[in-house]
Amino acid sequence: MSHILIQRRIDPAGVPAASSLRQWAEAALGRIAGDLTIRIVDEAESHELNCRYRGKDKSTNVLSFPYDGDMLDVPVLGDIVICGPVVMREAVEQGKDPRAHWAHLVVHGCLHLLGYDHEQESEAEVMEAREQKILASLGFPDPYADADETAHKRA
């Protein structure tokens, strides 16, 4: 079983309950156990982290930081940072249910911690198929049903 810590650095309005965030993360992790932190941040913190660690001068929806240190007594998976205002804005712009978009980004972030990536087309296809399967099991629609959103994600 995983231990999932939720940190909220912004007003909780529009942010799903911690129990939902944990449920979505557990669905993505499957049988893999370990410690994971999901941190909900504002645009300033997202921008600073994205600039520092990815060299991109803008805020972003989700960042994943896999743990790469020595193994501890308890497996540590890493940290996921989700920018609440960006997620909410994207949901409106893309005509998506906000809860579905939140669920997708939690699953997406967890899969990055597990080693999935989308830098290459073949990697993206594998990762997207896994996301679609997990989200369907949670009752959410295919986040890639709109081809324009897929192309935007990879840009």
Side-chain angles (χ1 to χ4, degrees), residues 104 107-108 111-112 116-136 140-155:
H104 177 214
V107 168
H108 185 88
L111 291 180
H112 274 306
Y116 288 82
D117 208 344
H118 48 81
E119 293 300 315
Q120 305 296 322
E121 185 68 29
S122 59
E123 294 173 328
E125 289 172 6
V126 170
M127 186 171 183
E128 289 169 11
R130 186 77 186 122
E131 288 171 329
Q132 290 162 334
K133 183 177 181 180
I134 293 165
L135 291 166
F140 291 110
D142 178 357
Y144 299 110
D146 179 357
D148 291 335
E149 200 275 336
T150 302
H152 172 73
K153 179 183 135 283
R154 292 189 192 144

Side-chain angles (χ1 to χ4, degrees), residues 62-73:
V62 63
L63 293 165
S64 297
F65 298 95
Y67 177 73
D68 62 358
D70 293 329
M71 291 308 293
L72 305 172
D73 291 340

